[in-house]
Amino acid sequence: MFGKNSHLIKCDNQCVCVGGILKNSSCGSEIDSADFVIRFNLASINDSDVGLKTDLITINPSQIQKEYKNLEEDPDLLVERVSVYGNASLVMPAFAYTFCTELSIRALNVLHPIRPQKPMAFFSPYYLQTLGGFWKRRGLKPRRLSSGFMLINTALELCEDVHVYGFWPFDTNMQDNPVPYHYYDLKRPSKRMHKMPEEFVRLLQLHSQGALTLHLQPCSSDTR
């Protein structure tokens, strides 16, 4: 994904992938104790529920398209948003679709000059194709794998101990209470592009096989 000489992710003892269903979870300190923390789509951070530590965070090209339309003329909004993650590495799926490439390069041109010590990475198109093919052969056939699912796979390849927080594809939790898909906004995933319940089934299978640990309860009463 990143190339043989990349230092974006090392084989740390414990890697954590932070999803969106974490409101009132009290998981912040537990997440921050991990060796390597992966977050998605410029999600907001806080010390109580999701933690503050960030080593790698993704940017969705559609975010650049919708939220930063005048990026060249007014880069401050994106720069300010990225600054909260400190020296975290950034990654974008620049070659997932044709429209993603130009948007990703625009973001690169704005962010690289102010963060040269942490250059932005682009997903290898070969990696995306290979990963998609791997799961298609196992019955998972969305138009595109979600960023969260892709990075969980990457963590499984590169980390000894993978923990997954806040991944839950349903409108209600296990106590049948409504839950927002993201703790930081009201957006829902695209059912046309993604198959979140089907991805979740694969995560459950990986959990049952001991390949990763899914955290599905608030951390104060987490039964792993």
Side-chain angles (χ1 to χ4, degrees), residues 114-135:
I114 64 168
R115 310 175 82 251
Q117 79 285 1
K118 283 289 184 180
M120 183 184 295
F122 292 163
F123 284 97
S124 161
Y126 175 74
Y127 179 82
L128 296 180
Q129 182 182 37
T130 303
L131 184 62
F134 175 88
W135 284 108

Side-chain angles (χ1 to χ4, degrees), residues 17-27 31 40 43 46 49-50 164-175 177-189 196 200 215-219:
C17 296
V18 184
I21 317 297
L22 284 167
K23 190 172 183 179
N24 301 322
S25 69
S26 301
C27 287
I31 290 170
F40 306 99
N46 62 65
D49 291 332
V50 299
V164 177
Y165 290 80
F167 280 74
W168 182 255
F170 310 113
D171 294 330
T172 57
N173 61 19
M174 286 186 284
Q175 290 73 42
N177 296 316
V179 290
Y181 181 71
H182 293 147
Y183 62 85
Y184 50 88
D185 63 33
L186 299 176
K187 296 177 181 177
R188 302 293 303 176
M196 296 301 192
F200 184 71
H215 296 258
L216 302 177
Q217 298 281 7
C219 287

Side-chain angles (χ1 to χ4, degrees), residues 5-24:
N5 298 320
S6 173
H7 300 288
L8 284 177
I9 294 183
K10 297 177 289 185
C11 293
D12 296 295
N13 290 328
Q14 186 184 93
C15 292
V16 163
C17 296
V18 184
I21 317 297
L22 284 167
K23 190 172 183 179
N24 301 322

